[in-house]
Amino acid sequence: MRQICLRLLASFLAACATAPIPTTSSQPFAATPAPTRGPTAPPKPKVLRINLAARPDLLDPQRASMTNETAILQLVYEGLTRVDKDGKVLPGAAASWEFSNGGKTLTFHLREGLKRADGAPLVASDFEFAFRYAVDPRVSAQAQSFLDDVRGALAAYSLDPKSRPDEIEKVLNTVAIKAPDDNTLVVTFDQPTGFWLVIASLWIGYPSDKSKIEQDPDAWWLKPENQNGNGPFKIAEIGDQVIKLAPNPNYWGGAPKLE
């Protein structure tokens, strides 16, 4: 029986050894079609949506006081300084500053080549106007007390707003915030006031455009083009339910990450 099995196995192997080897077919294999892809979707714009509990009553930096107002203004304007998330004071529109006169004088040096959103030059006298406008008794700014330490500021905004215009102007001229040249702003205090570097970052000192205000003092801020600020964004639309902002191409710090 064992011999029979071996013979069968040998016959099987012999048959395999002599069997012709199949050759490759000359017919080419059909290529697998590539999957069909639709058009690539364009990238989504980088948009940040901020929900405000109420529509701002006004967008005048010197008269603003509510958080829903300043939340927008701080994107459109920049003060002489700015404060980071850790509370550290950093350069803003001013590149540097120093105290003198025993801490009673603070001198800011503006960055070179500052511009407004429309490309117009921004100079130190624009900041002088903003602070002076804030303490004008006829303006009734809500945050005037922020400037109490500035020599002459309290006396200015304490005047009767119905006083003669020449009397008001005379007192306003004594407010000790002066721009001796385009790149320098000097602030004088009655006593050393080191914390004023934080005050310099606030909306009350944002450089509102004097030419826009003079055209319509009470409602100039309602038109987006009048918000000619110096911050990373500019106002593109002011609607009943939505205020849209767009990058300011003339911001010294370059384009923001948001579109």
Side-chain angles (χ1 to χ4, degrees), residues 116-160:
R116 292 187 178 276
D118 68 352
L122 180 69
V123 295
S125 59
D126 293 315
F127 287 93
E128 178 184 345
F129 165 77
F131 286 114
R132 175 172 163 158
Y133 178 62
V135 296
D136 188 324
R138 296 164 294 190
V139 174
S140 299
Q142 297 296 309
Q144 290 171 326
S145 61
F146 288 169
L147 306 180
D148 282 358
D149 295 283
V150 176
R151 183 172 297 170
L154 178 58
Y157 77 74
S158 297
L159 280 176
D160 185 343

Side-chain angles (χ1 to χ4, degrees), residues 88-109:
K88 183 180 179 181
V89 176
L90 302 175
S96 62
W97 53 80
E98 71 269 351
F99 284 95
S100 59
N101 188 27
K104 294 181 181 180
T105 300
L106 175 57
T107 302
F108 292 97
H109 304 282

Side-chain angles (χ1 to χ4, degrees), residues 147-205:
L147 306 180
D148 282 358
D149 295 283
V150 176
R151 183 172 297 170
L154 178 58
Y157 77 74
S158 297
L159 280 176
D160 185 343
K162 296 181 180 179
S163 300
R164 292 203 323 263
D166 61 323
E167 292 181 353
I168 293 177
E169 289 299 321
K170 181 179 179 180
V171 176
L172 286 175
N173 286 332
T174 68
V175 177
I177 299 181
K178 305 293 182 181
D181 57 58
D182 286 350
N183 293 316
T184 309
L185 188 74
V186 181
V187 185
T188 304
F189 311 105
D190 291 319
Q191 58 187 4
T193 311
F195 64 82
W196 213 84
L197 289 174
V198 175
I199 300 296
S201 73
L202 301 180
W203 59 93
I204 198 167

